[in-house]
Amino acid sequence: MASEPAYRHLGNFLLAAVFAFLYIPIAMLIALSFNEGGMPTVWSGFSTKWYAELLKNSDIISSAGNTIVVAAASTGIATVLGTCLALGVETRRRRGSALEALIFAPMIIPDIVLAIALLSFFSLLGVQMGLHTIVMAHVVFNLAFVCSVVRARLKFFDWSIVEASEDLGAPALATFARVTLPVILPAVIAGALLAFTLSVDEFIIAYFTSGAGRSSITLPIQVFAMIRFGVTPEINALATLLMCASLACLALAQKFNRGMVGA
């Protein structure tokens, strides 16, 4: 017992070291995005001009628009399919490990493998690459995440209220809309926010399935093209905005998750 404070101090030190290792580079990136000079690693004064420069960069604006389109479309489709998949799996009386592995395979398979597989699949079908192929690829990637979040809520779902609705003569669609969906809605929204965040940040799958031409360039691909010529304060500013957007979506998802657990 005498050594317990020493263990506590050691644990606090290790926790602080891990957080420092994770977040000091991010803090430096945010700070350098306000660097007045053109050198990305030398501080020369505070300025917000690089954020203004982003608004003047037509390539970034165009790729940001493509990213929003892809993220919104893939999130909507993945949310609907993932919710239906979660309901279908949880209402099955028998669920084997093979089914679980099949559902969550896109979460486990390395992105590069999934990207090559999707590229080969689209090429085999003769599909012309573009934003639509990125959307379909992101649906495959995000579906498992939405299903996982919704299934976590369904683990605590009281199925007797569904049976009561059916006993009262309500059609299956009305039961889902008025009974099931309101209960699992926080999980559905949390899954959608998570899918949107993953879609906005995803690079490898989008890079392999985007095809040629600027019309299908998303923001992560644009950032990759820009950093090949060196990191600039403009890229730091863009990375800061992307990180803030991702954190906002994750914070909202966590908020809905807390409401889901407390329901």
Side-chain angles (χ1 to χ4, degrees):
M1 297 295 294
S3 61
E4 183 178 350
Y7 280 111
R8 185 181 297 112
H9 290 317
L10 177 61
N12 292 336
F13 173 77
L14 293 176
L15 183 62
V18 170
F19 278 122
F21 178 77
L22 290 175
Y23 294 110
I24 285 179
I26 297 176
M28 291 180 61
L29 180 146
I30 296 174
L32 290 173
S33 70
F34 295 99
N35 186 16
E36 184 178 6
M39 296 296 293
T41 57
V42 179
W43 182 261
S44 58
F46 181 86
S47 176
T48 59
K49 69 178 183 179
W50 299 109
Y51 290 89
E53 290 294 327
L54 287 178
L55 299 178
K56 301 177 184 177
N57 193 318
S58 59
D59 291 340
I60 291 178
I61 298 300
S62 174
S63 60
N66 290 339
T67 298
I68 296 299
V69 170
V70 169
S74 62
T75 297
I77 299 172
T79 300
V80 173
L81 295 180
T83 302
C84 293
L85 179 61
L87 288 168
V89 172
E90 289 300 318
T91 54
R92 284 175 59 92
R93 295 186 177 181
R94 295 181 180 180
R95 297 191 296 271
S97 57
L99 178 61
E100 297 288 336
L102 185 64
I103 292 173
F104 297 112
M107 299 173 61
I108 302 171
I109 296 175
D111 286 356
I112 185 67
V113 176
L114 185 59
I116 294 173
L118 289 167
L119 174 61
S120 301
F121 177 73
F122 291 140
S123 299
L124 181 64
L125 295 181
V127 178
Q128 185 178 1
M129 301 294 181
L131 286 182
H132 57 287
T133 52
I134 302 178
V135 169
M136 289 186 285
H138 280 194
V139 168
V140 174
F141 177 72
N142 288 328
L143 195 150
F145 289 94
V146 176
C147 179
S148 177
V149 174
V150 176
R151 286 187 67 188
R153 177 66 183 93
L154 290 173
K155 296 292 184 183
F156 304 96
F157 186 77
D158 185 6
W159 293 100
S160 63
I161 60 176
V162 175
E163 296 174 358
S165 176
E166 293 174 347
D167 291 340
L168 292 173
L173 185 59
T175 298
F176 172 76
R178 298 184 179 182
V179 178
T180 307
L181 184 58
V183 176
I184 67 172
L185 187 59
V188 174
I189 296 176
L193 290 171
L194 178 60
F196 186 85
T197 302
L198 293 172
S199 184
V200 168
D201 295 340
E202 204 285 319
F203 165 73
I204 297 178
I205 296 176
Y207 184 79
F208 274 75
T209 59
S210 61
R214 288 216 52 86
S215 60
S216 59
I217 298 297
T218 60
L219 201 51
I221 300 176
Q222 177 65 31
V223 172
F224 174 74
M226 292 171 65
I227 62 174
R228 288 186 298 175
F229 303 100
V231 179
T232 66
E234 187 178 13
I235 295 178
N236 290 334
L238 177 59
T240 300
L241 293 177
L242 282 174
M243 185 186 64
C244 291
S246 298
L247 289 177
C249 289
L250 288 175
L252 286 174
Q254 288 298 319
K255 179 180 179 181
F256 281 106
N257 272 327
R258 286 196 296 270
M260 175 181 67
V261 173

